[in-house]
Amino acid sequence: MSEVVRTEVEGPVTTVTVDSPDYRNSMGAPGVREGLAAAVDAFEADPGQRVLVLTGANGTFSAGGNLKVLKGLRSRPQMEERITKGGGTIGVMLRSDKLYIAAVEGPAFGAGVGLAAACDLVVAADAARFCAAQIRVGASPDGGMFWSVPRRMGRAAAKRLLLTGDEIDQQAALATGLADYPAADGAALSVAQKLAKKLAYGPPLAQATVKRFFAQDIAGLDPVLDWERDTAIDNFLTDDFAEGAAAFLEKRRPTFRGA
């Protein structure tokens, strides 16, 4: 793994920490994109890992892109390579059947918003701030933000965030759905890890069903009801459901195996 991206594994939970203090954990800092890609790929390849918690060190989630680097990239192939690399990791996270949780301390700016919004759940500390800062410098959002942010916030709130470049705080993020859980300053990671441990022992097939629904576009009531019926039948016929029902009736904790 990259020296600026640390990975810790505890049971079925992987914690990935971006630690590039000179660049405020920017996605454009040397080694960060590559380190994140490697960490996510390793997590996805390990069948024993169920939930990944993503955070930034030193009270900053991510300052976004690195303008000093970006302003030097003047050719389309250079920009395409860079944006595709970051977007590829975001795509893996969004398409995965596994779960991702963001623990946001301090600023999540620019591409940092995209990284947080790509996670299934977001824990925001009191001092967390979110800003789609690309518009401030004449750029447009990337990192899956045109897909993930409207699905979290709704179209109107997402349009305001992406168009104005205004910052929103923890309370506004919670109110609009950009964040899901509050935490005291310094506690976002511990709250996220506690949540991750809970989810990591949940039913993986049923969790994947929920995530797949929100990762696709099914238009119209009848198609949604048809999809819901088919996936409900699939999950009712799993060993995990038999175990979950038995555990409930026997008043014990279920042991789900993803089968």
Side-chain angles (χ1 to χ4, degrees), residues 142-212:
D142 59 328
M145 291 169 66
F146 279 116
W147 192 92
S148 60
V149 175
R151 281 164 173 75
R152 279 195 152 271
M153 304 179 73
R155 290 175 63 88
K159 186 177 181 180
R160 286 196 302 272
L161 185 77
L162 300 180
L163 188 61
T164 66
D166 290 343
E167 296 181 22
I168 65 171
D169 61 13
Q170 178 211 53
Q171 291 302 309
L174 290 167
T176 57
L178 187 57
D180 302 293
Y181 296 92
D185 287 338
L189 180 57
S190 62
V191 171
Q193 288 176 326
K194 182 178 180 180
L195 179 61
K197 290 174 184 176
K198 173 185 175 182
L199 293 173
Y201 293 100
L205 298 178
Q207 289 171 340
T209 298
V210 174
K211 183 165 180 177
R212 286 174 195 161

Side-chain angles (χ1 to χ4, degrees), residues 7-27:
T7 299
E8 300 172 28
V9 174
E10 182 179 354
V13 176
T14 294
T15 299
V16 175
T17 304
V18 178
D19 189 0
S20 182
D22 292 343
Y23 296 86
R24 301 183 70 206
N25 302 334
S26 164
M27 287 285 286

Side-chain angles (χ1 to χ4, degrees), residues 1-163:
M1 295 299 172
S2 165
E3 293 182 359
V4 296
V5 177
R6 301 195 306 270
T7 299
E8 300 172 28
V9 174
E10 182 179 354
V13 176
T14 294
T15 299
V16 175
T17 304
V18 178
D19 189 0
S20 182
D22 292 343
Y23 296 86
R24 301 183 70 206
N25 302 334
S26 164
M27 287 285 286
V32 168
R33 289 178 188 271
E34 296 80 5
L36 280 175
V40 167
D41 287 347
F43 167 73
E44 290 290 333
D46 187 341
Q49 291 304 292
R50 295 282 312 283
V51 186
L52 186 148
V53 177
L54 180 61
T55 194
N58 305 306
T60 297
F61 184 73
S62 174
N66 185 339
L67 287 179
K68 291 182 179 179
V69 172
L70 290 173
K71 75 184 188 73
L73 302 178
R74 303 307 301 165
S75 74
R76 189 174 190 88
Q78 286 178 313
M79 291 301 301
E80 186 171 348
E81 178 184 5
R82 190 169 190 84
I83 292 176
T84 300
K85 186 180 295 183
T89 300
I90 295 292
V92 170
M93 294 167 61
L94 290 169
R95 294 185 183 98
S96 174
D97 283 347
K98 297 187 178 186
L99 302 181
Y100 288 79
I101 302 175
V104 179
E105 297 276 357
F109 278 27
V113 174
L115 196 60
C119 293
D120 300 291
L121 297 169
V122 177
V123 177
D126 288 338
R129 293 175 292 133
F130 300 83
C131 175
Q134 293 99 326
I135 202 78
R136 293 182 175 184
V137 295
S140 59
D142 59 328
M145 291 169 66
F146 279 116
W147 192 92
S148 60
V149 175
R151 281 164 173 75
R152 279 195 152 271
M153 304 179 73
R155 290 175 63 88
K159 186 177 181 180
R160 286 196 302 272
L161 185 77
L162 300 180
L163 188 61

